[in-house]
Amino acid sequence: SVSSGDDVCALALTDPARMVTLSLSGYLYNLWDIEYLDLTQPWYSQQQVNDFTIYDKLYLLMGDFAYSTYLFGAALVYNVDLADELSLPDLYEIVKTNQWTLDKMYEVTENVPDDLNGDGKFVEDDDRFAFAIRNTNNLMNFQYCSGLSIVKFNKATNNYELDFNAEKMQTVLEKVNALFAKNRTIVAENYIDLFNSGRLLMRTTYIGGLFEHHSMNDNFRPIPYPKFDTQQEKYLSMMTASVLVMGMPKSVQDTSSAGLILEAMSEKSYGELKEGVYEQVLSYQTMRDEKSLEMLRLIGDGLIIDFGYLTDTGSIVRYIIGDCVASGSTSVASYYASKEKSLKTFYDRLFDTYSKLS
């Protein structure tokens, strides 16, 4: 439709990967050029606006106009009753006092695993675990929620940089590997049932995944992913690739009207829609107390979307922590060194394409 000039829609809403493809194919307007669209407003993700503005061009936008934004942030969910039974520290208070870090997660999960049937084996169907993931790709959240990235556009030099912090990434890998010691963490085929059965302290999830515990007997509560350390400014929540982002097709003739409508929709959503999602959809249907709703808001305040994760379509290094854990590698430096040439070739082409877009 765009290629043929059919002005059939003013805005396009889809997942970020598809929107990046549309951007690179030249089908979308630069949103900085759209009249009435104020990209500095809080109803748009300022982190995303900043990181995705390349050569003064921005083609996709994340914000409050799409309610799914509030549902796809990465989080942890923990069994409150099991934590009480094991006399664990109050995780809610730990989060509230900004002490929820990778080290603290290791500390509170140390004595949770238990061979419940006493057969000397730890298996998903019979025993208790501290933490569960569906697959090692889920471990990417530990790197992004620690503030790490792979590539950044430097506006001062007007070029991209491979933003690989080997020392910090190595520390994250070591702390994640420690979570697998002594049967603490399990890659579970069905981690939802494992959690609902009361034999799992916490699991990785996203906010929309909390609906899967709707009928669970034990009380549960969402909390953010841990900070790298207490010096990290805020809890960060990596958005999954399922979140919806917006772009404006180049077939749109009246871009001023489209910009005005989007701005009005976004401002309205920032107030009424956002509150409706938290207080009616999430709170009434999944949350069981005000503390849980407070945690949802805290997670929502730290939503991030990573440029490198979304554009690394060949998965060269986007899952570096998970890849290292899965392969048994203990050195991110050697892993990265084996990928760096391919990564640089990939981003040379991508940023060259960006530089030529109108």
Side-chain angles (χ1 to χ4, degrees):
S1 294
V2 177
S3 297
S4 63
D6 293 337
D7 190 2
V8 294
C9 64
L11 302 171
L13 201 63
T14 187
D15 65 85
R18 287 190 177 92
M19 202 64 80
V20 168
T21 299
L22 291 171
S23 303
L24 294 172
S25 300
Y27 291 130
L28 303 176
Y29 280 116
N30 177 6
L31 296 173
W32 285 108
D33 294 337
I34 304 303
E35 189 177 10
Y36 300 120
L37 203 57
D38 186 353
L39 300 178
T40 66
Q41 292 294 340
W43 38 84
Y44 306 120
S45 167
Q46 293 306 299
Q47 173 267 325
Q48 185 266 322
V49 168
N50 179 70
D51 289 358
F52 282 70
T53 296
I54 311 295
Y55 301 113
D56 297 321
K57 305 164 192 174
L58 179 70
Y59 297 100
L60 59 97
L61 187 60
M62 183 177 88
D64 293 315
F65 51 79
Y67 77 91
S68 65
T69 302
Y70 322 127
L71 302 179
F72 286 104
L76 302 176
V77 57
Y78 79 98
N79 186 319
V80 176
D81 291 347
L82 179 58
D84 290 343
E85 177 187 328
L86 298 175
S87 300
L88 297 178
D90 188 339
L91 297 186
Y92 166 81
E93 289 297 333
I94 291 174
V95 172
K96 283 281 293 178
T97 55
N98 291 310
Q99 300 302 306
W100 183 233
T101 63
L102 284 165
D103 286 339
K104 183 62 70 173
M105 183 174 177
Y106 177 85
E107 179 185 323
V108 301
T109 58
E110 185 172 7
N111 297 315
V112 175
D114 193 2
D115 178 13
L116 296 177
N117 63 1
D119 65 356
K121 303 175 183 177
F122 276 80
V123 296
E124 182 177 337
D125 294 335
D126 300 323
D127 301 306
R128 187 174 71 213
F129 300 88
F131 181 54
I133 56 176
R134 185 177 60 185
N135 57 58
T136 54
N137 286 351
N138 295 152
L139 298 174
M140 70 174 183
N141 292 313
F142 285 106
Q143 69 196 55
Y144 295 117
C145 295
S146 293
L148 287 162
S149 60
I150 301 299
V151 61
K152 290 282 188 183
F153 184 76
N154 188 324
K155 294 178 175 60
T157 62
N158 213 33
N159 207 344
Y160 82 92
E161 299 171 351
L162 292 180
D163 187 42
F164 186 74
N165 186 328
E167 182 178 354
K168 187 174 182 180
M169 191 76 79
Q170 179 66 32
T171 301
V172 172
L173 175 61
E174 291 170 0
K175 292 180 185 297
V176 170
N177 273 330
L179 289 172
F180 279 81
K182 299 180 181 179
N183 300 296
R184 192 177 310 206
T185 297
I186 182 174
V187 179
E189 183 176 347
N190 197 333
Y191 64 170
I192 296 170
D193 287 349
L194 179 60
F195 187 81
N196 286 340
S197 72
R199 293 183 293 107
L200 179 63
L201 178 63
M202 68 179 71
R203 77 171 183 95
T204 182
T205 186
Y206 56 94
I207 297 304
L210 297 172
F211 291 101
E212 294 160 335
H213 306 307
H214 172 67
S215 58
M216 181 176 171
N217 289 327
D218 289 352
N219 289 310
F220 63 89
R221 181 172 296 138
I223 53 175
Y225 261 80
K227 296 179 180 180
F228 177 76
D229 56 27
T230 55
Q231 301 305 309
Q232 186 171 313
E233 181 179 355
K234 62 190 298 187
Y235 295 107
L236 301 175
S237 180
M238 172 68 174
M239 301 297 295
T240 75
S242 300
V243 67
L244 295 177
V245 295
M246 188 282 301
M248 187 177 294
K250 277 193 174 178
S251 53
V252 175
Q253 300 301 309
D254 189 355
T255 58
S256 295
S257 292
L260 182 62
I261 292 169
L262 175 61
E263 187 71 11
M265 287 171 54
S266 299
E267 182 177 3
K268 192 76 168 177
S269 298
Y270 180 67
E272 294 182 14
L273 177 62
K274 190 173 187 177
E275 287 306 302
V277 172
Y278 278 123
E279 295 186 3
Q280 297 181 40
V281 178
L282 290 173
S283 178
Y284 296 161
Q285 294 189 29
T286 67
M287 297 298 95
R288 301 178 182 182
D289 59 27
E290 286 300 315
K291 289 182 177 179
S292 294
L293 185 56
E294 187 179 357
M295 290 293 99
L296 287 178
R297 295 183 186 281
L298 180 64
I299 293 166
D301 287 342
L303 296 177
I304 59 171
I305 186 167
D306 187 75
F307 181 85
Y309 169 75
L310 290 177
T311 54
D312 182 10
T313 52
S315 297
I316 302 172
V317 296
R318 70 194 301 191
Y319 300 120
I320 184 169
I321 296 296
D323 287 347
C324 286
V325 170
S327 66
S329 173
T330 58
S331 171
V332 295
S334 59
Y335 175 93
Y336 180 78
S338 69
K339 307 281 187 177
E340 186 174 21
K341 183 177 180 180
S342 297
L343 194 67
K344 189 175 186 305
T345 298
F346 176 83
Y347 280 116
D348 280 346
R349 293 172 179 169
L350 186 144
F351 281 91
D352 181 62
T353 301
Y354 255 100
S355 69
K356 296 173 182 175
L357 293 172
S358 58

